[in-house]
Amino acid sequence: MHKTTIAPKTMGGYCELQLTPGKEYYPHLIRLNTGRNALEYILRQKGYTKIYLPYFTCDVLLEPVKKLDIAHQFYSINEQLEPVIDFEIEPNACFLYTNYFGIKQEAIKKLSHQIKHLIVDNSQGFFSEPLPGIDTFYSCRKFFGVPDGAYLRISKKLNKKLPVDSSLNRFSHLIKSIELGIEAGYSDYKANNDALINNEIKTMSPLTQRILAGIDYADCARIRKLNFDFLHKHLQLHNLFKFEVPADTSPMVYPFLSNDRDLKLHLIQKKIFVATYWPNVFEWTNSKMYENYLARCMVALPIDHRYNLQDMFFMLNILKQFI
Ligand SMILES: Cc1ncc(COP(=O)(O)O)c(C=O)c1O
């Protein structure tokens, strides 16, 4: 009779890194190493021959498209950041839509009825639940202090067993952020971004998974919502981007649109580090396109669990010097 041998449990020795035990936010979704690889997983599994992508998104999404040699076509978005579909969607093509800043869940619901092969990129919408039957992926590092990790909702799993990722060499920016501050870890953060390029699809690393299992998600979501609502209350009249505040989700950032092309620079000089979504958009578009304007003028104000209303007030006062 075939006997399975189980490695004996080790006992004693030094104390291991102590992480709070708990539950992941999406324990029933497929765990993968990166968001872009979650897209690759979908493309492989569904065998699509073409993908429609927004001009306004991150270029790393082209990694799987190029790897699998799939045709792609860019589409534009309107002032509500919703797709302008003035073309025929090919029957075997899929259509990727980004949940911009985590506030486009209603648009996703609408699109799910209109588009046959919709793929939702919830990299900016961690707290937006996947819709039944809609292939949806998440990238964890945009919301939490992990270097990688993704979740994927898809009805059918790939047949092959995936290798398990290792994050051991991707933690330096996260560790430095605690001992030396965010700025000291920034170059390591950029190196980590580079290290995530062109990796094969793997299962999420055990370390990332353990960290994700220890997060107090209810608290993170509550703080984000509170901070977002506070900023919106004070900024909506100045904000050129007009939108409905989603009732039951916690966005990634507060999107503030102004015609001041240098506002991001002013804030960065005051040590409010606002990212550009996305630098590649300047290469993909010309200066007359709306996406080009968005990449230049949409300011993504941080609202995450690190900050309270006092911090929001502080940021608001700095912002008000320029608007
Ligand atoms: C909108 C968007 N989707 C997907 C990704 C890819 O996520 P990951 O870095 O986990 O592959 C990114 C950024 O990297 C992104 O900004």
Side-chain angles (χ1 to χ4, degrees):
M1 206 172 70
H2 179 73
K3 265 195 188 169
T4 43
T5 46
I6 298 167
K9 183 182 168 95
T10 56
M11 295 182 74
Y14 62 86
C15 285
E16 67 176 32
L17 179 67
Q18 205 160 343
L19 297 167
T20 312
K23 202 167 151 229
E24 291 162 83
Y25 195 73
Y26 292 115
H28 304 301
L29 300 191
I30 298 171
R31 298 179 187 93
L32 296 171
N33 50 345
T34 58
R36 69 202 82 175
N37 285 355
L39 176 61
E40 180 177 334
Y41 193 115
I42 298 169
L43 296 174
R44 280 184 185 278
Q45 186 64 323
K46 296 287 173 85
Y48 294 126
T49 50
K50 177 171 178 171
I51 183 167
Y52 295 91
L53 291 165
Y55 282 107
F56 192 53
T57 194
C58 182
D59 57 357
V60 304
L61 291 178
L62 282 183
E63 263 182 45
V65 176
K66 287 183 175 158
K67 188 166 165 187
L68 301 178
D69 202 16
I70 288 171
H72 68 278
Q73 183 177 323
F74 287 115
Y75 69 83
S76 297
I77 51 172
N78 60 22
E79 291 187 1
Q80 283 305 302
L81 313 184
E82 293 173 21
V84 179
I85 308 177
D86 52 3
F87 52 89
E88 188 107 8
I89 298 176
E90 293 178 24
N92 289 331
C94 56
F95 189 102
L96 182 136
Y97 180 65
T98 303
N99 184 357
Y100 293 111
F101 312 114
I103 62 169
K104 297 305 298 179
Q105 186 72 350
E106 282 308 309
I108 290 168
K109 280 187 199 154
K110 237 173 23 190
L111 290 172
S112 72
H113 298 296
Q114 291 167 358
I115 294 173
K116 192 153 168 232
H117 303 304
L118 180 68
I119 297 174
V120 174
D121 177 355
N122 258 341
S123 298
Q124 297 198 326
F126 187 86
F127 289 104
S128 295
E129 308 275 327
L131 294 179
I134 305 296
D135 295 341
T136 304
F137 63 88
Y138 300 83
S139 169
C140 308
R141 66 197 185 99
K142 316 287 181 329
F143 275 72
F144 308 108
V146 286
D148 47 43
Y151 289 105
L152 168 65
R153 194 232 79 98
I154 190 168
S155 43
K156 226 171 107 220
K157 287 191 180 179
L158 281 175
N159 269 335
K160 74 173 199 188
K161 196 163 164 29
L162 298 173
V164 178
D165 197 18
S166 170
S167 307
L168 284 184
N169 297 320
R170 301 193 194 120
F171 268 86
S172 59
H173 62 295
L174 296 169
I175 294 168
K176 280 189 185 168
S177 72
I178 292 176
E179 294 223 343
L180 305 171
I182 285 281
E183 284 171 84
Y186 188 64
S187 60
D188 293 33
Y189 165 74
K190 288 212 303 210
N192 186 49
N193 281 347
D194 292 342
L196 293 178
I197 295 171
N198 286 328
N199 287 304
E200 64 174 314
I201 306 179
K202 291 182 181 172
T203 300
M204 184 187 289
S205 82
L207 185 48
T208 295
Q209 188 187 347
R210 280 277 298 276
I211 294 171
L212 288 172
I215 290 171
D216 183 342
Y217 289 103
D219 207 43
C220 288
R222 181 186 61 77
I223 296 169
R224 279 181 182 277
K225 179 100 185 88
L226 210 65
N227 289 341
F228 186 94
D229 289 347
F230 177 86
L231 288 187
H232 193 55
K233 189 170 139 205
H234 290 90
L235 288 174
Q236 59 182 314
L237 291 180
H238 305 274
N239 195 349
L240 298 180
F241 175 39
K242 302 295 173 199
F243 59 90
E244 288 286 316
V245 177
D248 53 358
T249 192
S250 297
M252 183 174 79
V253 289
Y254 181 80
F256 180 78
L257 186 62
S258 98
N259 281 333
D260 180 353
R261 296 163 70 84
D262 294 323
L263 183 54
K264 276 191 282 191
L265 209 62
H266 293 317
L267 292 176
I268 290 167
Q269 278 163 356
K270 296 276 183 185
K271 292 194 177 295
I272 296 173
F273 298 117
V274 288
T276 287
Y277 296 106
W278 289 262
N280 53 280
V281 174
F282 297 118
E283 287 159 34
W284 290 356
T285 60
N286 63 49
S287 59
K288 293 198 183 74
M289 291 169 73
Y290 189 58
E291 288 82 358
N292 195 286
Y293 165 68
L294 285 176
R296 164 109 22 228
C297 294
M298 186 68 98
V299 181
L301 298 171
I303 54 159
D304 61 74
H305 46 264
R306 292 171 288 179
Y307 311 116
N308 57 28
L309 292 184
Q310 231 173 333
D311 297 317
M312 293 299 104
F313 192 65
F314 171 79
M315 184 164 66
L316 200 60
N317 279 336
I318 290 182
L319 182 70
K320 284 203 166 154
Q321 295 171 18
F322 303 107
I323 58 177

